[in-house]
Amino acid sequence: MSTVVLDNVSKVYPGGYLAVDRMNLRAENGEFLVLLGPSGCGKSTLLRMIAGLEEVTSGDLWLGGTLANDLAPRDRDVAMVFQNGALYPHRTVRGNMAFPLEIAKADPAMVRERVTELSKALHIDETLERRPGTLSGGQRQRVAMGRAIVRQPSLFLMDEPLSNLDAGMRTELRMEISSLVRSLGVTTVYVTHDQVEALTLADRIAIMNRGVLQDLGTPGQVYNDPATAFTAAFLSSQQLNLLAATVRTPQNQFILLDFGVHQITIPWTDPRAYAISQHVGRQIIVGLRPDCLAPVPETFEGPVFLGRVRALEYHGHEWLAYVESGIPTVPVPEPPDPRHKARDLAATAPGSRARAVLRRLIPGAGLDPAPIQAQEQVGAGTHRRADLIVRVGSRPVWRAGEPARVGVDVTRLMLFALDGSRIDPPHR
Ligand code: ADP
């Protein structure tokens, strides 16, 4: 078993692309840690640095308490599973699974027994004498998994191992990976862009965007109590409503979130009140999942947004309504573009070796850091009038064109500064 510690780790590709930006992360002994984020956010780069397949540009990587930046891949005691299985085509299933033990010159009788036993656990014992070309995608991934597990490494690294499979097979193998890996108790770092996979598999999830860590916590923490607007939006199964509001405290009686055409009050007794009051007179972003909004009758006395139903959408188990309310919405705040940030890193990286490497990789690294566009401008400059997305339930109580009275569950408002960070600190 092994811990993985990333201390300020960055990766710059030649040409100056900052794929991983000053990442701090720790996977505990036996933990199942999922790296989640959109395509191109740097997940695989991070995993490949842990495996030793990519060099760490700056910062320190520790494996099991040993500084591993310069450790050869074979000396890291890690096993990796890739998206496409990557099996030896001329070896049988048994030959593929036995390979890591044969290389390690293990006793052939032990190898035979171990492979047979593992193939049963993976439900591929019927295929042991077949070649990979005759297997289904799901079976091939099971063999790849078996080959990784067979020699019981200190660390499993899995890079989207299920993404080439169809939905049914994905669900089945997901459950099996979870129980198998947990029964072995081996530390696992698992890369995916699929939020359901992350939520169902992980002990903790690290969410990344543009090379920057956005959040780190248990599935419950990052879903219910996200640290950033990006995390909230990425984990929302329906599009998250992100609304621009100005914070006011009229006569100090309560906090007013002023959406222009609508207002919502928050009493001073609300646990978030003090944190919000630090933003008086400024604009913030209010995040609301569609299921925090609902059609309410005239008699409803809680906070409401009024509008007009523009369209209704049937989703099988529920209806969603698109409501014109006149409230300005904002796009999800994102970290600055990684193409422009590397020069900043080159100027600030600790240690002369890291700085020298960065200067070699980044065009113009000797110059002043590139100006980074302030997030304040991004949030403030791009308001657009869009619809509120409201979960209507299993029956469409509204019709398109009708006035809509939308009740707001104030306890579930998520409050973000314009750079996307949470205003009231998340609990971790
Ligand atoms: P993810 O796994 O999240 O999809 P990657 O780690 O594969 O993302 O890539 C992160 C970014 O780094 C992408 O923009 C990608 O184009 C870039 N990148 C990956 N590998 C290289 C490389 N060898 N040279 C230059 N850029 C690369």
Side-chain angles (χ1 to χ4, degrees):
M1 289 203 283
S2 186
T3 51
V4 180
V5 177
L6 300 167
D7 181 6
N8 232 5
V9 165
S10 298
K11 174 70 188 180
V12 180
Y13 283 115
Y17 193 93
L18 181 55
V20 174
D21 187 3
R22 287 160 276 196
M23 183 71 74
N24 290 297
L25 199 59
R26 180 185 171 92
E28 300 296 345
N29 257 340
E31 182 173 13
F32 198 122
L33 181 75
V34 172
L35 302 179
L36 173 69
S39 176
C41 73
K43 311 178 290 294
S44 298
T45 301
L46 192 56
L47 199 73
R48 291 169 61 82
M49 283 194 283
I50 299 172
L53 303 175
E54 288 289 352
E55 228 177 282
V56 172
T57 311
S58 67
D60 289 335
L61 165 70
W62 300 82
L63 297 177
T66 305
L67 184 61
N69 289 38
D70 299 322
L71 214 55
R74 65 176 176 280
D75 297 329
R76 297 189 182 207
D77 198 17
V78 302
M80 199 155 170
V81 181
F82 298 94
Q83 189 172 341
N84 59 5
L87 301 174
Y88 303 110
H90 301 301
R91 284 179 158 251
T92 59
V93 167
R94 181 184 292 285
N96 268 281
M97 285 175 66
F99 187 72
L101 294 178
E102 287 172 6
I103 291 283
K105 303 208 169 17
D107 167 40
M110 184 279 272
V111 174
R112 200 169 174 80
E113 191 188 322
R114 176 115 188 89
V115 168
T116 306
E117 188 188 314
L118 191 57
S119 69
K120 286 186 187 142
L122 286 162
H123 307 294
I124 44 172
D125 45 324
E126 307 272 289
T127 68
L128 276 174
E129 308 313 325
R130 282 161 56 182
R131 297 250 168 98
T134 69
L135 303 178
S136 70
Q139 287 170 327
R140 275 201 295 275
Q141 276 310 72
R142 284 166 200 264
V143 180
M145 202 71 71
R147 192 178 53 186
I149 290 170
V150 76
R151 71 183 169 83
Q152 296 186 318
S154 302
L155 183 61
F156 286 140
L157 302 175
M158 304 196 187
D159 194 354
E160 308 246 12
L162 305 181
S163 61
N164 279 352
L165 307 178
D166 62 50
M169 184 58 73
R170 230 174 13 233
T171 312
E172 193 181 315
L173 208 48
R174 191 173 73 209
M175 285 190 298
E176 286 176 17
I177 289 178
S178 172
S179 59
L180 201 62
V181 168
R182 275 170 215 286
S183 70
L184 295 169
V186 175
T187 314
T188 302
V189 184
Y190 183 106
V191 161
T192 182
H193 64 273
D194 182 326
Q195 31 140 327
V196 176
E197 223 168 277
L199 291 170
T200 50
L201 279 174
D203 289 325
R204 285 187 310 156
I205 305 177
I207 294 149
M208 295 175 67
N209 188 27
R210 294 186 161 189
V212 178
L213 183 66
Q214 293 286 314
D215 206 346
L216 176 64
T218 63
Q221 287 171 336
V222 295
Y223 186 83
N224 294 313
D225 194 17
T228 61
F230 178 84
T231 303
F234 198 76
L235 291 176
S236 252
S237 43
Q238 298 116 3
Q239 195 186 321
L240 180 71
N241 295 295
L242 284 177
L243 312 176
T246 304
V247 178
R248 306 193 194 286
T249 48
Q251 278 105 48
N252 233 6
Q253 292 174 35
F254 44 73
I255 290 178
L256 187 80
L257 299 179
D258 186 353
F259 297 91
V261 284
H262 301 289
Q263 283 89 30
I264 282 182
T265 57
I266 295 186
W268 282 112
T269 50
D270 188 293
R272 300 164 296 182
Y274 175 74
I276 308 170
S277 71
Q278 303 302 298
H279 292 256
V280 169
R282 278 186 272 149
Q283 204 166 66
I284 63 164
I285 301 174
V286 176
L288 272 167
R289 293 207 165 100
D291 61 358
C292 306
L293 300 169
V296 288
E298 293 264 347
T299 49
F300 180 76
E301 289 182 351
V304 290
F305 293 144
L306 300 177
R308 187 163 294 278
V309 180
R310 199 173 57 76
L312 284 153
E313 219 175 51
Y314 182 53
H315 283 249
H317 62 299
E318 65 183 7
W319 287 81
L320 291 183
Y322 291 77
V323 174
E324 286 167 339
S325 66
I327 297 177
T329 64
V330 290
V332 180
E334 298 206 78
D337 189 326
R339 279 168 300 188
H340 306 313
K341 273 190 305 181
R343 265 165 53 194
D344 176 47
L345 177 68
T348 58
S352 54
R353 181 179 152 192
R355 279 201 296 277
V357 172
L358 285 161
R359 292 221 168 87
R360 186 163 46 75
L361 291 169
I362 306 164
L367 309 174
D368 287 339
I372 291 177
Q373 193 187 10
Q375 284 295 312
E376 309 282 327
Q377 295 163 15
V378 178
T382 48
H383 287 178
R384 56 202 165 93
R385 308 244 168 239
D387 297 327
L388 276 180
I389 305 171
V390 181
R391 182 176 185 274
V392 176
S394 54
R395 285 190 314 134
V397 292
W398 286 329
R399 274 189 299 207
E402 281 183 355
R405 177 174 280 268
V406 181
V408 183
D409 182 352
V410 174
T411 61
R412 292 177 61 206
L413 291 181
M414 296 185 269
L415 303 152
F416 305 103
L418 293 184
D419 67 357
S421 59
R422 261 281 286 280
I423 283 177
D424 53 321
H427 300 282
R428 292 288 181 274

